[in-house]
Amino acid sequence: MRLLVIGGSVFLGRAFVEEGLRRGWDVTTFNRGKTQSDPAGARSVRGDRESEEDLARLAEAGPWDAVVDVCGYVPKVVGASVAALASAAATYLFVSSINARPGWPSEPVDENSPQHGGDPQAGPDDGDYGKLKVGCQLAVEQGFPGRSLILEPGLIMGPHDRAQRLTWWLSRTAQGGRVAAPGAPDNEMQLIDARDIAIFGLDRIEAEDSGTYLVSGTPANTTWGEFLDLCLAETGRKAELVWVPDEILTEHEIAVWTELPLWAPREGEFTAVWRPSSAKAIGAGLRCRPVAESVRDTASWLFGPGGMDEAFGPSRTGREAKGISPEREEALLRAAAVVGDQR
C-alpha cells in the first residue's frame, strides 16, 4: 500500500505514519519541514498545501492508495488539496473533530446527530472551528465521492501530544506538592489514544471503506481518580491530590479545558462532555488500549530525550507553558480546605 500523509511529523499524523510503516507500507509525508523531523523510514515531499505549485508537484509524486489529511482546518485550503489529488489517490481520509456536532458537549452525539452548517469554499474567517471542520468534510466528500473517510475524534492522548493535556498533568504531578484535582475522583472520562485512531483509520482504508466514524474511545474507560493516580504512579508519587469540587472551580472562574486541562463542569452545557458514542466505530473494529498504557507510554516519551521540548517548547516547562498559575492553584487549595473543614 502507498500512503500519503499530509502533515505527518507530529502527534496524530505521526501516529498514522508510524502505523503505516509498521505495516510495511510505502509512506510519504507532505509538510514544510518546519515543525520537527518526520519518522524514520518515511519519504518526504516538502511543500506548502496553500501553494498550487507545491500541490501539483505533490500530485506528480503519486499515485497513492490513500491520502490521510490530519491538518486541514480551512475548507478552501482542503479543497485545493482534494482537487490536486483527486486523480492521484484512491481514498481520502480526513481527520475532522467531534466539534463538528453542535450538540456536543451538552448532549450525547453520534454519527446521526446534526452537524454544523458548512461551506466547502469557506475561508479562515468564515466560521468557528466546528463549522470550518464541516466545510472541510464537505470539500473532501465532494472531491472524492464514495471514496472518502471522515474520522471525528474526541479527546486524544498519547506520545508526541503537543496539546498539553495529559502531558500537563504528568509535568504537574512530577513537580510534587499539593495538586488541585478537579471535580470528584469518580467522575467518568472517555479518552482515546492517537495510535488507536491511526490503527482504525488504516484498517478502514485496507477494507476500502467509506463514510463517517466518530472515534471518541470506549465509554467511561477511566475516571478522574484513576487518570490522576496513573499520572502519580508514573511520576514517583511525589504529589498529593486535593480534590476541588466543580462549584469552587466555577466560583474561581477556572477556564474550562485549559487551566486544569481536560476539566469541564459536569452540569450545564458540559453535561455530556464524556458521553459521545463510538458504537459505530467499535462495531467496525475500533479497539482502544487501556488508558494506563497510554499514560505509561506518554510519560516514557515526555521524560525521555527531547520529550519536554517537543511537548512544551524548548524555552518553557510544562507548568509555565499552559495551565493554572501557582497562585491560582494555591487559592483553589485554600478554598477546598475551607469547604472540607465545614463538612
Side-chain angles (χ1 to χ4, degrees):
M1 295 282 284
R2 296 195 69 198
L3 178 70
L4 169 65
V5 180
I6 300 178
S9 64
V10 299
F11 198 28
L12 184 55
R14 193 178 192 91
F16 271 101
V17 172
E18 291 179 342
E19 177 59 23
L21 293 171
R22 189 190 67 79
R23 296 179 185 215
W25 292 12
D26 182 348
V27 182
T28 299
T29 64
F30 176 67
N31 56 55
R32 295 174 298 172
K34 293 183 177 181
T35 304
Q36 63 188 58
S37 60
D38 297 323
R43 300 179 182 179
S44 300
V45 175
R46 296 296 183 222
D48 189 329
R49 67 182 303 166
E50 296 192 42
S51 164
E52 290 184 12
E53 293 79 7
D54 289 353
L55 288 175
R57 182 166 46 83
L58 176 64
E60 292 173 357
W64 292 278
D65 295 290
V67 177
V68 171
D69 188 345
V70 299
C71 56
Y73 305 102
V74 179
K76 69 178 183 180
V77 174
V78 171
S81 301
V82 167
L85 298 170
S87 61
T91 298
Y92 199 111
L93 186 156
F94 179 73
V95 177
S96 184
S97 169
I98 195 173
N99 288 281
R101 309 284 171 175
W104 184 83
S106 62
E107 59 188 48
V109 295
D110 61 18
E111 293 83 357
N112 296 315
S113 301
Q115 287 191 324
H116 287 289
D119 178 0
Q121 300 299 321
D125 301 321
D126 294 333
D128 61 16
Y129 178 73
K131 291 182 179 179
L132 292 179
K133 276 293 191 180
V134 174
C136 293
Q137 293 181 198
L138 294 172
V140 172
E141 291 167 343
Q142 291 176 9
F144 279 72
R147 300 185 292 141
S148 62
L149 275 163
I150 308 296
L151 302 185
E152 297 178 358
L155 279 299
I156 311 175
M157 61 179 170
H160 302 284
D161 180 8
R162 295 167 32 143
Q164 299 175 30
R165 295 169 179 156
L166 168 55
T167 52
W168 187 90
W169 284 109
L170 286 167
S171 175
R172 176 64 191 92
T173 53
Q175 294 170 20
R178 299 167 71 234
V179 174
D186 60 349
N187 287 352
E188 295 177 347
M189 305 173 76
Q190 185 179 142
L191 301 168
I192 187 166
D193 195 295
R195 296 168 294 179
D196 294 327
I197 295 175
I199 291 170
F200 176 73
L202 297 192
D203 283 348
R204 293 296 86 210
I205 287 172
E206 285 190 311
E208 299 182 354
D209 196 3
S210 62
T212 299
Y213 291 95
L214 197 157
V215 285
S216 60
T218 306
N221 56 2
T222 192
T223 65
W224 267 104
E226 293 167 352
F227 174 74
L228 292 181
D229 188 66
L230 290 168
C231 292
L232 291 175
E234 294 296 334
T235 55
R237 296 195 179 277
K238 295 181 289 186
E240 173 193 357
L241 300 180
V242 178
W243 290 96
V244 183
D246 281 351
E247 54 267 28
I248 293 179
L249 299 172
T250 301
E251 289 171 5
H252 283 72
E253 299 181 339
I254 298 301
V256 173
W257 298 125
T258 56
E259 281 198 273
L260 293 173
L262 293 173
W263 170 75
R266 294 185 67 182
E267 303 301 326
E269 63 179 305
F270 298 98
T271 301
V273 65
W274 300 113
R275 290 194 289 146
S277 174
S278 293
K280 179 184 175 183
I282 291 171
L286 173 67
R287 297 293 178 266
C288 298
R289 69 196 67 208
V291 172
E293 181 179 336
S294 298
V295 174
R296 181 197 67 210
D297 292 350
T298 302
S300 179
W301 156 73
L302 180 66
F303 299 121
M308 289 292 287
D309 286 351
E310 184 182 342
F312 299 112
S315 63
R316 300 178 296 177
T317 64
R319 196 172 187 185
E320 293 167 344
K322 188 176 182 180
I324 195 167
S325 68
E327 295 77 18
R328 296 263 285 166
E329 184 175 29
E330 185 58 37
L332 290 179
L333 295 171
R334 289 195 301 268
V338 169
V339 171
D341 291 342
Q342 292 174 345
R343 291 175 178 170

